[in-house]
Short mmCIF file of all heavy atoms in Angstrom, two decimals:
data_model
loop_
_atom_site.label_atom_id
_atom_site.label_comp_id
_atom_site.label_asym_id
_atom_site.label_seq_id
_atom_site.Cartn_x
_atom_site.Cartn_y
_atom_site.Cartn_z
N GLY D 1 -16.30 -29.67 21.44
CA GLY D 1 -15.43 -30.74 20.98
C GLY D 1 -15.49 -31.91 21.93
O GLY D 1 -16.07 -31.85 23.02
N THR D 2 -14.88 -32.95 21.51
CA THR D 2 -14.84 -34.15 22.34
C THR D 2 -13.44 -34.30 22.92
O THR D 2 -12.44 -34.09 22.25
CB THR D 2 -15.18 -35.41 21.53
OG1 THR D 2 -14.24 -35.54 20.48
CG2 THR D 2 -16.59 -35.32 20.96
N ALA D 3 -13.39 -34.65 24.17
CA ALA D 3 -12.11 -34.84 24.85
C ALA D 3 -11.66 -36.29 24.68
O ALA D 3 -12.47 -37.21 24.71
CB ALA D 3 -12.25 -34.50 26.33
N GLN D 4 -10.39 -36.46 24.48
CA GLN D 4 -9.82 -37.80 24.38
C GLN D 4 -9.43 -38.25 25.78
O GLN D 4 -8.80 -37.50 26.53
CB GLN D 4 -8.59 -37.81 23.47
CG GLN D 4 -8.89 -37.48 22.04
CD GLN D 4 -9.73 -38.56 21.38
OE1 GLN D 4 -9.57 -39.74 21.63
NE2 GLN D 4 -10.65 -38.15 20.54
N PRO D 5 -9.76 -39.48 26.14
CA PRO D 5 -9.37 -39.96 27.47
C PRO D 5 -7.85 -40.15 27.52
O PRO D 5 -7.20 -40.39 26.52
CB PRO D 5 -10.10 -41.29 27.60
CG PRO D 5 -10.33 -41.72 26.20
CD PRO D 5 -10.49 -40.47 25.39
N ASN D 6 -7.31 -40.00 28.72
CA ASN D 6 -5.89 -40.25 28.91
C ASN D 6 -5.60 -41.74 28.74
O ASN D 6 -6.41 -42.59 29.12
CB ASN D 6 -5.43 -39.81 30.30
CG ASN D 6 -5.50 -38.30 30.45
OD1 ASN D 6 -5.36 -37.58 29.48
ND2 ASN D 6 -5.70 -37.84 31.68
N LEU D 7 -4.47 -42.04 28.17
CA LEU D 7 -4.07 -43.43 27.99
C LEU D 7 -3.11 -43.83 29.09
O LEU D 7 -2.17 -43.10 29.40
CB LEU D 7 -3.38 -43.62 26.63
CG LEU D 7 -4.24 -43.39 25.40
CD1 LEU D 7 -3.39 -43.50 24.14
CD2 LEU D 7 -5.37 -44.40 25.36
N SER D 8 -3.36 -44.97 29.65
CA SER D 8 -2.43 -45.47 30.66
C SER D 8 -1.47 -46.45 30.00
O SER D 8 -1.71 -46.95 28.90
CB SER D 8 -3.21 -46.19 31.77
OG SER D 8 -3.80 -47.38 31.26
N ALA D 9 -0.36 -46.72 30.68
CA ALA D 9 0.62 -47.67 30.15
C ALA D 9 -0.04 -49.04 29.96
O ALA D 9 0.25 -49.75 29.00
CB ALA D 9 1.81 -47.78 31.09
N LYS D 10 -0.94 -49.40 30.85
CA LYS D 10 -1.60 -50.70 30.73
C LYS D 10 -2.49 -50.74 29.50
O LYS D 10 -2.46 -51.70 28.73
CB LYS D 10 -2.43 -51.01 31.97
CG LYS D 10 -3.11 -52.38 31.87
CD LYS D 10 -4.04 -52.63 33.03
CE LYS D 10 -4.76 -53.95 32.95
NZ LYS D 10 -5.05 -54.51 31.68
N SER D 11 -3.27 -49.70 29.27
CA SER D 11 -4.17 -49.72 28.11
C SER D 11 -3.38 -49.71 26.81
O SER D 11 -3.77 -50.35 25.83
CB SER D 11 -5.16 -48.56 28.16
OG SER D 11 -4.49 -47.33 28.01
N VAL D 12 -2.26 -49.01 26.75
CA VAL D 12 -1.43 -49.00 25.56
C VAL D 12 -0.80 -50.39 25.38
O VAL D 12 -0.69 -50.89 24.27
CB VAL D 12 -0.33 -47.91 25.63
CG1 VAL D 12 0.67 -48.05 24.50
CG2 VAL D 12 -0.97 -46.53 25.62
N GLY D 13 -0.43 -51.01 26.47
CA GLY D 13 0.17 -52.34 26.41
C GLY D 13 -0.79 -53.40 25.90
O GLY D 13 -0.36 -54.47 25.46
N ASP D 14 -2.07 -53.12 25.95
CA ASP D 14 -3.07 -54.08 25.48
C ASP D 14 -3.20 -54.11 23.96
O ASP D 14 -3.78 -55.03 23.40
CB ASP D 14 -4.45 -53.78 26.08
CG ASP D 14 -4.49 -54.04 27.59
OD1 ASP D 14 -3.63 -54.82 28.08
OD2 ASP D 14 -5.37 -53.47 28.26
N TYR D 15 -2.67 -53.09 23.27
CA TYR D 15 -2.76 -53.04 21.81
C TYR D 15 -1.76 -53.99 21.18
O TYR D 15 -0.63 -54.12 21.62
CB TYR D 15 -2.49 -51.62 21.28
CG TYR D 15 -3.62 -50.66 21.56
CD1 TYR D 15 -3.55 -49.77 22.61
CD2 TYR D 15 -4.76 -50.65 20.75
CE1 TYR D 15 -4.59 -48.89 22.87
CE2 TYR D 15 -5.79 -49.77 21.00
CZ TYR D 15 -5.70 -48.89 22.06
OH TYR D 15 -6.72 -48.02 22.31
N LYS D 16 -2.20 -54.64 20.13
CA LYS D 16 -1.32 -55.52 19.37
C LYS D 16 -0.90 -54.78 18.11
O LYS D 16 -1.73 -54.24 17.38
CB LYS D 16 -2.04 -56.81 19.01
CG LYS D 16 -2.54 -57.59 20.22
CD LYS D 16 -2.24 -59.04 20.07
CE LYS D 16 -2.83 -59.85 21.19
NZ LYS D 16 -2.08 -59.79 22.42
N ILE D 17 0.39 -54.76 17.87
CA ILE D 17 0.92 -54.09 16.69
C ILE D 17 1.57 -55.17 15.83
O ILE D 17 2.48 -55.87 16.26
CB ILE D 17 1.96 -53.02 17.07
CG1 ILE D 17 1.29 -51.97 17.95
CG2 ILE D 17 2.59 -52.41 15.83
CD1 ILE D 17 2.25 -50.95 18.51
N LEU D 18 1.07 -55.28 14.61
CA LEU D 18 1.60 -56.28 13.69
C LEU D 18 2.82 -55.69 12.98
O LEU D 18 2.78 -54.58 12.46
CB LEU D 18 0.55 -56.68 12.68
CG LEU D 18 -0.74 -57.29 13.28
CD1 LEU D 18 -1.74 -57.57 12.16
CD2 LEU D 18 -0.40 -58.57 14.01
N VAL D 19 3.89 -56.46 12.97
CA VAL D 19 5.12 -56.05 12.31
C VAL D 19 5.38 -57.03 11.17
O VAL D 19 5.39 -58.24 11.39
CB VAL D 19 6.30 -56.05 13.30
CG1 VAL D 19 7.60 -55.67 12.60
CG2 VAL D 19 6.02 -55.11 14.46
N PRO D 20 5.58 -56.51 9.96
CA PRO D 20 5.85 -57.42 8.83
C PRO D 20 7.16 -58.19 9.05
O PRO D 20 8.07 -57.73 9.74
CB PRO D 20 5.98 -56.48 7.63
CG PRO D 20 5.43 -55.17 8.07
CD PRO D 20 5.55 -55.12 9.54
N SER D 21 7.24 -59.32 8.40
CA SER D 21 8.45 -60.14 8.49
C SER D 21 9.62 -59.37 7.89
O SER D 21 9.43 -58.44 7.10
CB SER D 21 8.25 -61.45 7.73
OG SER D 21 8.18 -61.19 6.34
N PRO D 22 10.85 -59.74 8.24
CA PRO D 22 12.01 -59.06 7.65
C PRO D 22 12.00 -59.10 6.12
O PRO D 22 12.43 -58.13 5.48
CB PRO D 22 13.21 -59.83 8.21
CG PRO D 22 12.71 -60.37 9.52
CD PRO D 22 11.26 -60.70 9.27
N GLU D 23 11.52 -60.17 5.53
CA GLU D 23 11.45 -60.27 4.07
C GLU D 23 10.50 -59.23 3.49
O GLU D 23 10.81 -58.56 2.51
CB GLU D 23 11.03 -61.68 3.63
CG GLU D 23 12.02 -62.77 3.96
CD GLU D 23 11.93 -63.27 5.40
OE1 GLU D 23 10.92 -62.97 6.10
OE2 GLU D 23 12.88 -63.93 5.85
N ILE D 24 9.35 -59.09 4.12
CA ILE D 24 8.36 -58.10 3.67
C ILE D 24 8.90 -56.69 3.90
O ILE D 24 8.75 -55.81 3.04
CB ILE D 24 7.01 -58.29 4.39
CG1 ILE D 24 6.41 -59.67 4.08
CG2 ILE D 24 6.03 -57.18 4.03
CD1 ILE D 24 6.06 -59.87 2.62
N GLN D 25 9.57 -56.47 5.03
CA GLN D 25 10.17 -55.16 5.30
C GLN D 25 11.20 -54.82 4.21
O GLN D 25 11.27 -53.67 3.77
CB GLN D 25 10.82 -55.15 6.67
CG GLN D 25 9.83 -55.19 7.81
CD GLN D 25 10.52 -55.19 9.17
OE1 GLN D 25 11.53 -54.53 9.36
NE2 GLN D 25 9.96 -55.95 10.11
N ALA D 26 11.98 -55.81 3.81
CA ALA D 26 12.98 -55.58 2.76
C ALA D 26 12.31 -55.23 1.44
O ALA D 26 12.78 -54.35 0.70
CB ALA D 26 13.88 -56.81 2.60
N GLN D 27 11.21 -55.91 1.12
CA GLN D 27 10.48 -55.61 -0.11
C GLN D 27 9.91 -54.19 -0.08
O GLN D 27 9.96 -53.46 -1.08
CB GLN D 27 9.35 -56.63 -0.33
CG GLN D 27 9.84 -58.01 -0.68
CD GLN D 27 8.69 -59.02 -0.74
OE1 GLN D 27 7.53 -58.69 -0.54
NE2 GLN D 27 9.04 -60.27 -1.02
N ILE D 28 9.39 -53.81 1.07
CA ILE D 28 8.85 -52.45 1.22
C ILE D 28 9.97 -51.43 1.05
O ILE D 28 9.81 -50.42 0.35
CB ILE D 28 8.16 -52.29 2.60
CG1 ILE D 28 6.89 -53.16 2.66
CG2 ILE D 28 7.83 -50.82 2.88
CD1 ILE D 28 6.28 -53.28 4.04
N ALA D 29 11.11 -51.70 1.67
CA ALA D 29 12.25 -50.79 1.56
C ALA D 29 12.71 -50.66 0.11
O ALA D 29 13.03 -49.55 -0.34
CB ALA D 29 13.40 -51.28 2.44
N GLU D 30 12.73 -51.76 -0.63
CA GLU D 30 13.11 -51.73 -2.04
C GLU D 30 12.15 -50.85 -2.85
O GLU D 30 12.58 -50.07 -3.70
CB GLU D 30 13.15 -53.13 -2.63
CG GLU D 30 14.31 -53.98 -2.17
CD GLU D 30 14.25 -55.41 -2.69
OE1 GLU D 30 13.52 -55.67 -3.67
OE2 GLU D 30 14.91 -56.27 -2.09
N GLN D 31 10.86 -51.01 -2.58
CA GLN D 31 9.86 -50.21 -3.30
C GLN D 31 10.00 -48.72 -2.97
O GLN D 31 9.91 -47.87 -3.87
CB GLN D 31 8.45 -50.69 -2.95
CG GLN D 31 8.12 -52.07 -3.47
CD GLN D 31 8.10 -52.11 -4.99
OE1 GLN D 31 7.56 -51.23 -5.63
NE2 GLN D 31 8.69 -53.13 -5.55
N LEU D 32 10.25 -48.41 -1.71
CA LEU D 32 10.41 -47.01 -1.33
C LEU D 32 11.69 -46.42 -1.92
O LEU D 32 11.69 -45.28 -2.37
CB LEU D 32 10.43 -46.88 0.20
CG LEU D 32 9.10 -47.20 0.90
CD1 LEU D 32 9.26 -47.19 2.40
CD2 LEU D 32 8.01 -46.23 0.46
N THR D 33 12.75 -47.21 -1.96
CA THR D 33 14.00 -46.75 -2.57
C THR D 33 13.81 -46.48 -4.05
O THR D 33 14.28 -45.46 -4.58
CB THR D 33 15.13 -47.78 -2.34
OG1 THR D 33 15.33 -47.94 -0.93
CG2 THR D 33 16.43 -47.35 -2.99
N ALA D 34 13.12 -47.38 -4.74
CA ALA D 34 12.85 -47.19 -6.17
C ALA D 34 12.01 -45.93 -6.38
O ALA D 34 12.26 -45.16 -7.32
CB ALA D 34 12.14 -48.42 -6.74
N ALA D 35 11.02 -45.71 -5.53
CA ALA D 35 10.18 -44.52 -5.65
C ALA D 35 11.01 -43.26 -5.41
O ALA D 35 10.85 -42.26 -6.12
CB ALA D 35 9.02 -44.59 -4.67
N ASP D 36 11.90 -43.29 -4.41
CA ASP D 36 12.76 -42.14 -4.14
C ASP D 36 13.66 -41.84 -5.34
O ASP D 36 13.85 -40.67 -5.69
CB ASP D 36 13.62 -42.38 -2.91
CG ASP D 36 12.84 -42.28 -1.60
OD1 ASP D 36 11.75 -41.66 -1.61
OD2 ASP D 36 13.33 -42.81 -0.59
N LYS D 37 14.21 -42.87 -5.97
CA LYS D 37 15.06 -42.67 -7.15
C LYS D 37 14.26 -42.07 -8.29
O LYS D 37 14.75 -41.18 -9.00
CB LYS D 37 15.70 -43.99 -7.57
CG LYS D 37 16.79 -44.45 -6.64
CD LYS D 37 17.40 -45.77 -7.11
CE LYS D 37 18.46 -46.24 -6.13
NZ LYS D 37 19.05 -47.52 -6.52
N LYS D 38 13.04 -42.54 -8.49
CA LYS D 38 12.18 -42.01 -9.55
C LYS D 38 11.85 -40.54 -9.29
O LYS D 38 11.89 -39.70 -10.20
CB LYS D 38 10.89 -42.84 -9.65
CG LYS D 38 9.91 -42.37 -10.68
CD LYS D 38 10.41 -42.56 -12.08
CE LYS D 38 9.32 -42.22 -13.08
NZ LYS D 38 9.80 -42.13 -14.43
N ILE D 39 11.55 -40.21 -8.05
CA ILE D 39 11.27 -38.83 -7.69
C ILE D 39 12.48 -37.95 -7.98
O ILE D 39 12.34 -36.86 -8.55
CB ILE D 39 10.85 -38.72 -6.20
CG1 ILE D 39 9.46 -39.34 -6.00
CG2 ILE D 39 10.88 -37.27 -5.72
CD1 ILE D 39 9.07 -39.54 -4.56
N GLN D 40 13.67 -38.42 -7.61
CA GLN D 40 14.88 -37.62 -7.86
C GLN D 40 15.12 -37.45 -9.36
O GLN D 40 15.49 -36.36 -9.81
CB GLN D 40 16.10 -38.26 -7.20
CG GLN D 40 17.33 -37.39 -7.23
CD GLN D 40 17.10 -36.03 -6.57
OE1 GLN D 40 16.60 -35.95 -5.46
NE2 GLN D 40 17.45 -34.97 -7.27
N THR D 41 14.89 -38.51 -10.13
CA THR D 41 15.04 -38.41 -11.59
C THR D 41 14.09 -37.37 -12.15
O THR D 41 14.47 -36.54 -13.00
CB THR D 41 14.78 -39.79 -12.24
OG1 THR D 41 15.74 -40.72 -11.74
CG2 THR D 41 14.85 -39.72 -13.74
N GLU D 42 12.86 -37.38 -11.69
CA GLU D 42 11.85 -36.42 -12.18
C GLU D 42 12.20 -35.00 -11.74
O GLU D 42 12.01 -34.05 -12.50
CB GLU D 42 10.46 -36.81 -11.69
CG GLU D 42 9.94 -38.12 -12.27
CD GLU D 42 9.83 -38.12 -13.78
OE1 GLU D 42 9.48 -37.06 -14.36
OE2 GLU D 42 10.10 -39.16 -14.39
N ARG D 43 12.73 -34.85 -10.53
CA ARG D 43 13.14 -33.51 -10.07
C ARG D 43 14.29 -32.99 -10.92
O ARG D 43 14.33 -31.81 -11.26
CB ARG D 43 13.56 -33.56 -8.60
CG ARG D 43 12.40 -33.64 -7.65
CD ARG D 43 12.85 -33.62 -6.22
NE ARG D 43 11.68 -33.64 -5.34
CZ ARG D 43 11.71 -34.02 -4.08
NH1 ARG D 43 12.84 -34.41 -3.53
NH2 ARG D 43 10.61 -34.04 -3.36
N ASN D 44 15.24 -33.86 -11.24
CA ASN D 44 16.35 -33.46 -12.10
C ASN D 44 15.86 -33.04 -13.47
O ASN D 44 16.33 -32.04 -14.03
CB ASN D 44 17.38 -34.59 -12.22
CG ASN D 44 18.10 -34.88 -10.93
OD1 ASN D 44 18.11 -34.07 -10.00
ND2 ASN D 44 18.71 -36.04 -10.84
N TYR D 45 14.92 -33.80 -14.02
CA TYR D 45 14.36 -33.46 -15.33
C TYR D 45 13.60 -32.13 -15.27
O TYR D 45 13.72 -31.30 -16.17
CB TYR D 45 13.45 -34.59 -15.83
CG TYR D 45 12.94 -34.38 -17.23
CD1 TYR D 45 13.82 -34.34 -18.31
CD2 TYR D 45 11.59 -34.23 -17.48
CE1 TYR D 45 13.35 -34.15 -19.60
CE2 TYR D 45 11.12 -34.05 -18.77
CZ TYR D 45 12.00 -33.99 -19.83
OH TYR D 45 11.55 -33.80 -21.09
N LEU D 46 12.84 -31.93 -14.21
CA LEU D 46 12.13 -30.67 -14.03
C LEU D 46 13.11 -29.50 -13.96
O LEU D 46 12.89 -28.45 -14.59
CB LEU D 46 11.27 -30.70 -12.76
CG LEU D 46 10.55 -29.41 -12.39
CD1 LEU D 46 9.58 -28.98 -13.48
CD2 LEU D 46 9.82 -29.57 -11.06
N GLU D 47 14.20 -29.68 -13.23
CA GLU D 47 15.20 -28.62 -13.14
C GLU D 47 15.79 -28.32 -14.52
O GLU D 47 15.99 -27.16 -14.88
CB GLU D 47 16.31 -29.02 -12.17
CG GLU D 47 17.35 -27.95 -11.96
CD GLU D 47 18.43 -28.36 -10.98
OE1 GLU D 47 18.31 -29.41 -10.33
OE2 GLU D 47 19.42 -27.61 -10.87
N LYS D 48 16.04 -29.36 -15.30
CA LYS D 48 16.56 -29.16 -16.65
C LYS D 48 15.57 -28.36 -17.50
O LYS D 48 15.96 -27.42 -18.19
CB LYS D 48 16.84 -30.51 -17.31
CG LYS D 48 17.34 -30.42 -18.73
CD LYS D 48 17.59 -31.79 -19.33
CE LYS D 48 18.03 -31.67 -20.78
NZ LYS D 48 18.30 -32.95 -21.39
N LEU D 49 14.30 -28.73 -17.42
CA LEU D 49 13.28 -28.02 -18.18
C LEU D 49 13.16 -26.56 -17.72
O LEU D 49 12.97 -25.66 -18.55
CB LEU D 49 11.93 -28.72 -18.08
CG LEU D 49 11.83 -30.08 -18.77
CD1 LEU D 49 10.48 -30.72 -18.47
CD2 LEU D 49 12.06 -29.96 -20.26
N GLN D 50 13.28 -26.34 -16.42
CA GLN D 50 13.20 -24.97 -15.92
C GLN D 50 14.39 -24.14 -16.42
O GLN D 50 14.23 -22.96 -16.74
CB GLN D 50 13.14 -24.97 -14.39
CG GLN D 50 11.80 -25.46 -13.87
CD GLN D 50 11.77 -25.68 -12.38
OE1 GLN D 50 12.80 -25.94 -11.74
NE2 GLN D 50 10.59 -25.58 -11.79
N ASN D 51 15.56 -24.76 -16.49
CA ASN D 51 16.73 -24.06 -17.02
C ASN D 51 16.53 -23.73 -18.50
O ASN D 51 16.90 -22.65 -18.95
CB ASN D 51 17.99 -24.90 -16.82
CG ASN D 51 18.43 -24.95 -15.38
OD1 ASN D 51 18.12 -24.05 -14.59
ND2 ASN D 51 19.14 -25.99 -15.00
N ILE D 52 15.98 -24.68 -19.24
CA ILE D 52 15.70 -24.43 -20.66
C ILE D 52 14.71 -23.28 -20.79
O ILE D 52 14.88 -22.38 -21.62
CB ILE D 52 15.16 -25.71 -21.35
CG1 ILE D 52 16.27 -26.75 -21.45
CG2 ILE D 52 14.58 -25.39 -22.72
CD1 ILE D 52 15.80 -28.13 -21.90
N LYS D 53 13.69 -23.29 -19.96
CA LYS D 53 12.69 -22.22 -20.00
C LYS D 53 13.34 -20.87 -19.74
O LYS D 53 13.07 -19.89 -20.46
CB LYS D 53 11.60 -22.49 -18.96
CG LYS D 53 10.55 -21.39 -18.87
CD LYS D 53 9.56 -21.67 -17.77
CE LYS D 53 8.62 -20.51 -17.57
NZ LYS D 53 7.74 -20.71 -16.42
N ARG D 54 14.21 -20.81 -18.72
CA ARG D 54 14.89 -19.54 -18.42
C ARG D 54 15.71 -19.08 -19.63
O ARG D 54 15.71 -17.90 -19.97
CB ARG D 54 15.79 -19.70 -17.20
CG ARG D 54 15.06 -19.54 -15.88
CD ARG D 54 16.02 -19.44 -14.71
NE ARG D 54 16.63 -20.72 -14.36
CZ ARG D 54 16.05 -21.65 -13.62
NH1 ARG D 54 14.84 -21.45 -13.15
NH2 ARG D 54 16.68 -22.77 -13.34
N GLY D 55 16.40 -20.02 -20.26
CA GLY D 55 17.19 -19.67 -21.44
C GLY D 55 16.31 -19.19 -22.58
O GLY D 55 16.66 -18.23 -23.29
N LEU D 56 15.18 -19.82 -22.78
CA LEU D 56 14.27 -19.41 -23.85
C LEU D 56 13.70 -18.02 -23.59
O LEU D 56 13.55 -17.22 -24.51
CB LEU D 56 13.14 -20.43 -24.01
CG LEU D 56 13.56 -21.78 -24.60
CD1 LEU D 56 12.40 -22.76 -24.50
CD2 LEU D 56 14.01 -21.61 -26.03
N ILE D 57 13.39 -17.76 -22.34
CA ILE D 57 12.85 -16.44 -22.01
C ILE D 57 13.90 -15.37 -22.27
O ILE D 57 13.60 -14.30 -22.81
CB ILE D 57 12.34 -16.41 -20.55
CG1 ILE D 57 11.07 -17.25 -20.43
CG2 ILE D 57 12.10 -14.98 -20.08
CD1 ILE D 57 10.59 -17.48 -19.02
N GLN D 58 15.16 -15.68 -21.90
CA GLN D 58 16.23 -14.70 -22.14
C GLN D 58 16.44 -14.46 -23.63
O GLN D 58 16.77 -13.36 -24.05
CB GLN D 58 17.54 -15.19 -21.50
CG GLN D 58 17.52 -15.14 -19.99
CD GLN D 58 18.77 -15.75 -19.38
OE1 GLN D 58 19.61 -16.31 -20.07
NE2 GLN D 58 18.88 -15.66 -18.07
N ASP D 59 16.25 -15.49 -24.43
CA ASP D 59 16.45 -15.37 -25.87
C ASP D 59 15.19 -14.95 -26.62
O ASP D 59 15.19 -14.91 -27.85
CB ASP D 59 16.95 -16.71 -26.44
CG ASP D 59 18.34 -17.05 -25.95
OD1 ASP D 59 19.08 -16.12 -25.56
OD2 ASP D 59 18.70 -18.24 -25.95
N LEU D 60 14.14 -14.64 -25.90
CA LEU D 60 12.86 -14.34 -26.53
C LEU D 60 12.95 -13.21 -27.55
O LEU D 60 12.32 -13.28 -28.61
CB LEU D 60 11.82 -13.99 -25.46
CG LEU D 60 10.40 -13.71 -25.92
CD1 LEU D 60 9.83 -14.96 -26.60
CD2 LEU D 60 9.54 -13.31 -24.76
N LEU D 61 13.73 -12.23 -27.24
CA LEU D 61 13.81 -11.07 -28.13
C LEU D 61 14.94 -11.20 -29.16
O LEU D 61 15.16 -10.27 -29.94
CB LEU D 61 14.00 -9.79 -27.31
CG LEU D 61 12.85 -9.50 -26.35
CD1 LEU D 61 13.15 -8.28 -25.51
CD2 LEU D 61 11.54 -9.33 -27.10
N ASP D 62 15.60 -12.33 -29.20
CA ASP D 62 16.66 -12.55 -30.18
C ASP D 62 16.03 -12.68 -31.56
O ASP D 62 15.18 -13.53 -31.79
CB ASP D 62 17.42 -13.83 -29.85
CG ASP D 62 18.58 -14.11 -30.79
OD1 ASP D 62 18.76 -13.37 -31.76
OD2 ASP D 62 19.31 -15.09 -30.53
N PRO D 63 16.40 -11.85 -32.52
CA PRO D 63 15.78 -11.90 -33.83
C PRO D 63 16.09 -13.19 -34.59
O PRO D 63 15.36 -13.56 -35.50
CB PRO D 63 16.37 -10.69 -34.56
CG PRO D 63 17.59 -10.29 -33.79
CD PRO D 63 17.39 -10.78 -32.38
N ASN D 64 17.13 -13.91 -34.22
CA ASN D 64 17.46 -15.16 -34.91
C ASN D 64 16.66 -16.35 -34.39
O ASN D 64 16.72 -17.43 -34.96
CB ASN D 64 18.96 -15.45 -34.80
CG ASN D 64 19.79 -14.39 -35.47
OD1 ASN D 64 19.40 -13.85 -36.51
ND2 ASN D 64 20.93 -14.07 -34.90
N GLY D 65 15.98 -16.20 -33.28
CA GLY D 65 15.18 -17.28 -32.72
C GLY D 65 16.04 -18.30 -31.99
O GLY D 65 17.25 -18.21 -31.93
N VAL D 66 15.35 -19.31 -31.45
CA VAL D 66 16.01 -20.34 -30.66
C VAL D 66 15.48 -21.69 -31.10
O VAL D 66 14.29 -21.87 -31.31
CB VAL D 66 15.71 -20.14 -29.15
CG1 VAL D 66 16.30 -21.27 -28.33
CG2 VAL D 66 16.22 -18.82 -28.68
N SER D 67 16.38 -22.66 -31.22
CA SER D 67 15.97 -24.03 -31.56
C SER D 67 15.81 -24.83 -30.26
O SER D 67 16.77 -25.08 -29.56
CB SER D 67 17.01 -24.70 -32.44
OG SER D 67 16.70 -26.06 -32.59
N VAL D 68 14.59 -25.21 -29.95
CA VAL D 68 14.30 -25.98 -28.74
C VAL D 68 14.84 -27.40 -28.88
O VAL D 68 15.30 -28.00 -27.90
CB VAL D 68 12.79 -26.01 -28.46
CG1 VAL D 68 12.47 -26.87 -27.26
CG2 VAL D 68 12.26 -24.60 -28.27
N ASP D 69 14.83 -27.98 -30.07
CA ASP D 69 15.29 -29.35 -30.27
C ASP D 69 16.74 -29.54 -29.82
O ASP D 69 17.08 -30.57 -29.26
CB ASP D 69 15.15 -29.75 -31.75
CG ASP D 69 13.69 -29.84 -32.18
OD1 ASP D 69 12.85 -30.12 -31.30
OD2 ASP D 69 13.42 -29.61 -33.36
N ALA D 70 17.56 -28.54 -30.02
CA ALA D 70 18.97 -28.65 -29.64
C ALA D 70 19.14 -28.66 -28.12
O ALA D 70 20.12 -29.19 -27.62
CB ALA D 70 19.76 -27.48 -30.24
N LEU D 71 18.18 -28.14 -27.40
CA LEU D 71 18.27 -28.07 -25.94
C LEU D 71 17.79 -29.36 -25.27
O LEU D 71 18.13 -29.61 -24.13
CB LEU D 71 17.46 -26.88 -25.42
CG LEU D 71 17.91 -25.52 -25.92
CD1 LEU D 71 16.93 -24.45 -25.46
CD2 LEU D 71 19.31 -25.20 -25.45
N MET D 72 17.00 -30.13 -25.94
CA MET D 72 16.45 -31.36 -25.34
C MET D 72 17.47 -32.43 -25.52
O MET D 72 17.70 -33.34 -25.07
CB MET D 72 15.12 -31.74 -25.96
CG MET D 72 14.04 -30.68 -25.82
SD MET D 72 13.58 -30.32 -24.14
CE MET D 72 12.51 -31.65 -23.78
#
């Protein structure tokens, strides 16, 4: 393998790190918040579908059958 050289405080200090403006940071935060909300919505929907599936499996042997439309 290859060894990584040790970094000194001086060599790290020589790196330039670009930081977006506060406006751009706010836009990024808005996009991430919207994505998080979408993910939570999809997780909630998945949980609902999993609950429906569990109910359908339990009712599988019911001779009267199950209406899926009423569960959606």
